[in-house]
Amino acid sequence: NAGVTQTPKFQVLKTGQSMTLQCAQDMNHNSMYWYRQDPGMGLRLIYYSASEGTTDKGEVPNGYNVSRLNKREFSLRLESAAPSQTSVYFCASSEMGTGSYNEQFFGPGTRLTVL
Amino acid sequence: RKEVEQDPGPFNVPEGATVAFNCTYSNSASQSFFWYRQDCRKEPKLLMSVYSSGNEDGRFTAQLNRASQYISLLIRDSKLSDSATYLCVVIYTGRRALTFGSGTRLQVQP
């Protein structure tokens, strides 16, 4: 099993360009998440999808859109990139428990620089 | 004020030392607590859950103090391979996702 995979691993954009970060998991998990990690800030939740067909905003959703394409795939789109979106982006997945916590498994991350 | 606060370190300790990290959380509506480990330029991975009664996993011991709203991680007999950033994580009641501290960096030296 590959677990959680993300593409691309690295990306450099110019201000105003758009791009989509791809994420896929092969663990048959229901829930998927997008986080960003900035120095000194810890990971912050951008969007999540509790199950196929649903998406919800997290702590820092502005400037991003997401699509839960199917149970396996959850993409993050930057419509008009800004330097403030320079960050490391992590996708994660977990089973959806009924009131109990399920471990989140993270992908290797995408390092994005916006010039 | 951040919801989950940690001393960023770095903690530089010799092999074999015992080291402890603390983490405080501001929201009392907290449900679950964890320590994740993140190696340099890698993804976070679950190290251990933290239970109210305290729990141990080999050389690692986690404690929770709900009254004072802090969590601790104790590492005994440090190994070089323990060098990493340790992330304190909280799930708040009513939220699905994790709330992360900014991490404490540990460097174990030979």
Side-chain angles (χ1 to χ4, degrees):
Chain A
N1 285 353
V4 180
T5 57
Q6 292 183 234
T7 56
K9 285 188 167 50
F10 301 93
Q11 184 71 50
V12 178
L13 293 177
K14 294 181 180 177
T15 298
Q17 287 185 314
S18 63
M19 78 162 296
T20 300
L21 282 64
Q22 307 287 354
C23 174
Q25 52 92 8
D26 62 2
M27 295 174 282
N28 202 36
H29 286 166
N30 287 300
S31 299
M32 298 185 74
Y33 311 81
W34 276 106
Y35 293 89
R36 61 178 287 175
Q37 185 173 31
D38 302 299
M41 296 290 291
L43 280 81
R44 292 180 293 168
L45 182 68
I46 304 171
Y47 270 93
Y48 68 96
S49 170
S51 60
E52 187 178 353
T54 69
T55 61
D56 287 286
K57 294 179 181 179
E59 182 184 354
V60 288
N62 291 346
Y64 305 95
N65 285 300
V66 290
S67 294
R68 184 73 183 267
L69 304 169
N70 48 55
K71 191 171 185 179
R72 290 188 63 248
E73 299 172 290
F74 188 37
S75 63
L76 178 72
R77 182 160 178 84
L78 287 71
E79 290 290 353
S80 178
S84 60
Q85 294 178 304
T86 294
S87 189
V88 181
Y89 291 85
F90 288 103
C91 177
S93 72
S94 68
E95 293 183 19
M96 188 174 64
T98 52
S100 61
Y101 168 71
N102 297 120
E103 178 181 352
Q104 290 191 13
F105 295 85
F106 286 81
T110 295
R111 283 164 177 76
L112 175 67
T113 300
V114 182
L115 302 175
Chain B
R1 184 185 171 192
K2 294 180 183 176
E3 289 188 285
V4 179
E5 299 224 42
Q6 297 182 249
D7 181 342
F11 284 61
N12 295 303
V13 302
E15 273 186 288
T18 295
V19 62
F21 309 135
N22 288 330
C23 162
T24 58
Y25 58 96
S26 60
N27 189 334
S28 60
S30 52
Q31 181 175 2
S32 306
F33 308 89
F34 310 89
W35 286 101
Y36 272 67
R37 170 192 169 129
Q38 185 174 25
D39 293 308
C40 187
R41 302 180 72 79
K42 299 283 190 182
E43 71 272 23
K45 293 183 179 178
L46 179 65
L47 178 66
M48 60 194 301
S49 301
V50 185
Y51 303 118
S52 296
S53 55
N55 51 297
E56 194 172 297
D57 183 1
R59 297 181 293 107
F60 298 85
T61 301
Q63 298 276 359
L64 167 63
N65 185 319
R66 283 190 183 271
S68 301
Q69 296 184 195
Y70 80 80
I71 307 150
S72 65
L73 177 68
L74 182 78
I75 305 175
R76 290 181 300 277
D77 188 22
S78 299
K79 311 291 185 191
L80 294 175
S81 58
D82 294 334
S83 297
T85 296
Y86 291 84
L87 304 169
C88 176
V89 180
V90 176
I91 294 184
Y92 290 112
T93 304
R95 297 188 203 174
R96 183 174 298 275
L98 310 177
T99 300
F100 285 81
S102 53
T104 298
R105 193 156 68 90
L106 171 65
Q107 184 67 46
V108 181
Q109 295 163 338

